[in-house]
């Protein structure tokens, strides 16, 4: 009985420490206020894109129920890790941030906003392949 209790206690400690570990994700989930703070304050500058980030960025507008969005999610994770320090990857759940999705007239998901460090952002509606996302990052965002 003592051994079972001790084993259970040790198992509980081990599993809780595993849950507390960083899973290595570099993708950041943001909402309306996070977008205004970290990417572009379009309330303050509605007619001029003034990028607030220090790195190029991707904003993935998605929903949990969206099949193509679920296929894009691991690609975004890979890109965030591969280009860590050069590219910031954000996710916006359109069901939870309807005001932000509306502000960008997101009508279909996934919709991805590509933001170069300098220059104007570009929008892509619909899922692309990992190769195509990587190509946009290398050729348009990091050049």
């Amino acid at each position: 009985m003592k051994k079972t209790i001790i084993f259970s206690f040790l198992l509980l400690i081990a599993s809780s420490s595993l849950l507390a570990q960083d899973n290595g994700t570099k993708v950041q989930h943001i909402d309306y206020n996070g977008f205004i703070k970290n990417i572009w304050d379009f309330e303050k500058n509605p007619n001029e894109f003034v990028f607030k980030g220090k790195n190029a960025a991707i904003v993935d507008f998605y929903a949990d129920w969206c099949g193509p969005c679920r296929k894009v999610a691991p690609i975004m994770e890979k890109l965030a890790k591969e280009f860590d320090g050069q590219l910031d990857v954000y996710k916006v759940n359109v069901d939870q941030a309807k005001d932000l999705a509306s502000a960008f007239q997101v009508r279909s998901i996934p919709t991805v906003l590509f933001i170069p460090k300098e220059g104007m952002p570009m929008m892509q509606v619909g899922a692309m392949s990992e190769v195509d996302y990587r190509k946009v990052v290398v050729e348009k965002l990091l050049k």
Side-chain angles (χ1 to χ4, degrees), residues 4 13 15 25 34 65 80-82 90 105 111 115-116 119 123 136:
T4 304
I13 290 172
S15 64
T25 186
W65 50 264
K81 288 176 185 174
E82 182 177 338
Y90 300 96
Q105 299 178 357
T111 292
I115 307 169
M123 263 186 142
V136 172

Side-chain angles (χ1 to χ4, degrees), residues 1-76:
M1 178 76 167
K2 263 187 178 179
K3 287 182 183 179
T4 304
I5 292 172
I6 291 171
F7 178 74
S8 296
F9 180 72
L10 291 174
L11 186 60
L12 178 67
I13 290 172
S15 64
S16 65
S17 68
L18 285 174
L19 289 174
Q21 289 178 355
D22 179 18
N23 65 4
T25 186
K26 302 289 182 191
V27 174
Q28 303 171 58
H29 292 263
I30 60 169
D31 59 8
Y32 189 94
N33 293 327
F35 191 95
I36 296 290
K37 179 181 175 190
N38 297 303
I39 299 172
W40 172 32
D41 186 347
F42 54 85
E43 291 176 343
K44 185 177 177 183
N45 299 301
N47 299 318
E48 180 184 10
F49 178 73
V50 179
F51 185 46
K52 298 176 96 173
K54 62 181 178 179
N55 296 319
I58 293 176
V59 181
D60 175 18
F61 291 88
Y62 78 102
D64 292 331
W65 50 264
C66 168
C69 299
R70 287 193 300 268
K71 290 181 181 179
V72 168
I75 296 170
M76 293 298 154

Side-chain angles (χ1 to χ4, degrees), residues 24-27 72-84 87 89 130 134:
T25 186
K26 302 289 182 191
V27 174
V72 168
I75 296 170
M76 293 298 154
E77 290 284 348
K78 284 182 185 179
L79 293 173
K81 288 176 185 174
E82 182 177 338
F83 296 102
D84 186 29
L87 177 72
V89 179
E130 182 176 342
R134 185 171 282 103

